[in-house]
Amino acid sequence: MATEVLVPTLGESITEATLGEWLKQPGDAVAADEPIASLETDKVSVEVPSPVAGVMGQHAVAVGDTVQVGAMLATVDAGGSAPAKTDAPQPAVTESAAPAKDEPQGDTAAALSPSVRRAVLEHGVDPATIKGTGKDGRLTKEDVAAAASAKPQAPAASASANAPSDGAAAGRADADSAPARRKEERVKMTRLRQTIARRLKEAQNTAAMLTTFNDVDMTAVIEARAKYKDLFEKKHGVRLGFMGFFVKAATMALKDIPSVNASIEGDEIVYHDYADISVAVSAPNGLVVPVIRDAQDLSVAGIEKTIGDFGRRAKSGELKMDEMKGGTFTISNGGVFGSLMSTPIINPPQSAVLGLHRIEDRPVVVNGQVVVRPMMYLALSYDHRLIDGREAVTFLVALKNAIEDPTRILIDL
């Protein structure tokens, strides 16, 4: 008997999604609660499990289609069994009929999401040779990029061995002068990317955005991290990074400058006596922004544990909708990608976002002497309708003081 697989409830106020990929093909055996499809919503990817054990029936929708909550995705034949595999020998594939090595083929291609398939084509790698780090071992775009960067370059052939004869060179002259083949590919934007684009543009159109900069000497934090990172990881089971210091320092500065932690609703200003810090985390389909709830009450260790958990679950697509709702202030760390300086865009209805950047040695003057220190640029973008320049600068100075003297974080100064 065929059982219908329906689009599940996706969360408050979310009524539709886009089919991102099929994880099971018609005829595949499926177990009860085994994921058979992945849906992309405005914020995260959601896997749809099979309600029964059996055999995958026909797909009712195609990859890229928009589906409503409650709509039928496919059928599963309950209690059925997959077709037995034949042991008959397969015909040999001649060299002329063999598939091109730079394109994913057969079952491998069917298991790839559109974004991963596009990355495979762009980088010219064989997906069968790459170990996936996504959920259930599936490939992600990051896996493909890492494999491409690690792929050895073919050694250049010697000039004497490859030099053509004069006759051969003349015969190839016309071919060599022909223009190189150029390719284009049109790919529909994912629902997540469409949402990001819409919200960022809305932020620019609504807020009176301004960015204020400062820099911070990272010497003290780097020394503290080097001294205690092994003991920290042994005790707390998580690595000691820089984000724990910055999140904790930010919660202290937000308490001193409450307007940076506030938001505008109509003609009212909403002040929050708590700090729910949104942190930008890289996911296979783009950046997502889960929220560290009540960060002001967490230790540096508690913050690092929460961020580490977000990172792991973002990569495997297991973040929940509720974990990305709300937030009173955002921290985005472009430094992990090598950014020197940027002007981040606020995440409405929040009124401010802190941008962190890469650490690099620069000459600075300390006590009248020019010394080399590890410096980082800080950028605070804010809604000038609510936050004045004086408040923005005061916030950055308070943050700078706490990072340059981490003892302030310990004694809440």
Side-chain angles (χ1 to χ4, degrees):
M1 182 179 67
T3 300
E4 293 184 346
V5 182
L6 306 180
V7 178
T9 301
L10 300 171
E12 183 182 355
S13 75
I14 298 179
T15 60
E16 63 180 22
T18 300
L19 181 64
E21 61 177 315
W22 283 109
L23 306 179
K24 291 291 184 178
Q25 301 301 317
D28 289 350
V30 296
D33 296 326
E34 183 179 8
I36 63 171
S38 176
L39 299 176
E40 294 180 354
T41 70
D42 289 350
K43 294 184 176 180
V44 293
S45 294
V46 178
E47 291 189 337
V48 181
S50 173
V52 294
V55 175
M56 189 70 192
Q58 292 301 311
H59 298 162
V61 296
V63 171
D65 286 354
T66 297
V67 293
Q68 304 292 321
V69 171
M72 186 179 79
L73 288 174
T75 59
V76 174
D77 295 327
S81 58
K85 293 183 179 179
T86 177
D87 292 330
Q90 300 297 317
V93 179
T94 64
E95 184 176 353
S96 60
K101 291 185 178 180
D102 62 342
E103 296 186 6
Q105 300 292 332
D107 293 339
T108 302
L112 302 179
S113 68
S115 59
V116 174
R117 188 178 299 112
R118 183 169 67 251
V120 167
L121 292 172
E122 290 175 352
H123 292 291
V125 296
D126 183 358
T129 64
I130 306 173
K131 183 178 180 181
T133 60
K135 188 173 183 181
D136 297 328
R138 292 200 296 275
L139 290 184
T140 66
K141 289 191 297 184
E142 288 80 2
D143 297 332
V144 176
S149 63
K151 185 170 64 174
Q153 300 296 321
S158 64
S160 59
N162 290 314
S165 65
D166 292 343
R172 290 166 45 191
D174 291 340
D176 291 343
S177 61
R181 183 182 177 187
R182 303 192 301 171
K183 297 180 180 179
E184 288 183 352
E185 181 184 10
R186 292 181 181 270
V187 179
K188 185 177 180 181
M189 292 175 67
T190 64
R191 182 171 292 272
L192 175 61
R193 178 53 57 185
Q194 292 178 47
T195 301
I196 291 172
R198 185 182 70 252
R199 287 178 59 83
L200 292 180
K201 189 58 183 173
E202 286 175 354
Q204 288 183 319
N205 293 340
T206 302
M209 279 204 299
L210 181 64
T211 303
T212 295
F213 299 94
N214 210 322
D215 61 3
V216 58
D217 184 345
M218 295 292 292
T219 300
V221 167
I222 290 175
E223 290 177 349
R225 182 173 179 269
K227 183 176 181 179
Y228 296 112
K229 64 179 182 179
D230 293 337
L231 289 174
F232 185 92
E233 185 170 4
K234 183 177 180 180
K235 179 175 181 178
H236 300 290
V238 65
R239 295 180 61 189
L240 177 61
F242 297 124
M243 280 295 286
F245 290 98
F246 276 101
V247 171
K248 193 62 181 177
T251 63
M252 296 167 54
L254 292 173
K255 184 168 61 176
D256 293 339
I257 317 296
S259 62
V260 181
N261 197 41
S263 59
I264 295 177
E265 290 187 9
D267 59 355
E268 295 180 333
I269 299 175
V270 181
Y271 292 95
H272 308 97
D273 66 350
Y274 54 88
D276 284 353
I277 307 297
S278 304
V279 289
V281 175
S282 181
N285 292 328
L287 289 178
V288 293
V289 191
V291 180
I292 306 174
R293 309 289 179 187
D294 293 315
Q296 77 283 351
D297 296 332
L298 295 178
S299 65
V300 171
I303 293 169
E304 290 288 1
K305 287 180 180 179
T306 303
I307 294 174
D309 179 59
F310 284 159
R312 286 188 297 272
R313 292 191 291 122
K315 193 170 185 179
S316 62
E318 296 177 343
L319 282 176
K320 299 177 181 178
M321 297 285 187
D322 291 343
E323 293 177 303
M324 287 178 283
K325 291 181 180 178
T328 61
F329 182 77
T330 294
I331 300 179
S332 177
N333 185 8
V336 297
F337 304 110
S339 171
L340 175 64
M341 187 179 293
S342 66
T343 55
I345 301 177
I346 62 175
N347 182 22
Q350 299 174 22
S351 296
V353 53
L354 175 68
L356 307 181
H357 302 90
R358 75 170 185 250
I359 302 170
E360 64 175 8
D361 288 340
R362 293 201 300 269
V364 295
V365 177
V366 177
N367 298 325
Q369 300 293 321
V370 177
V371 296
V372 175
R373 292 291 175 85
M375 305 296 294
M376 176 196 288
Y377 286 118
L378 306 176
L380 182 73
S381 291
Y382 55 97
D383 190 344
H384 212 348
R385 298 177 300 166
L386 172 59
I387 303 169
D388 295 329
R390 176 177 60 87
E391 294 169 313
V393 172
T394 303
F395 172 87
L396 282 178
V397 170
L399 186 73
K400 173 184 172 74
N401 289 339
I403 294 299
E404 292 186 342
D405 183 6
T407 304
R408 289 173 175 265
I409 298 176
L410 178 63
I411 64 177
D412 192 16
L413 183 59

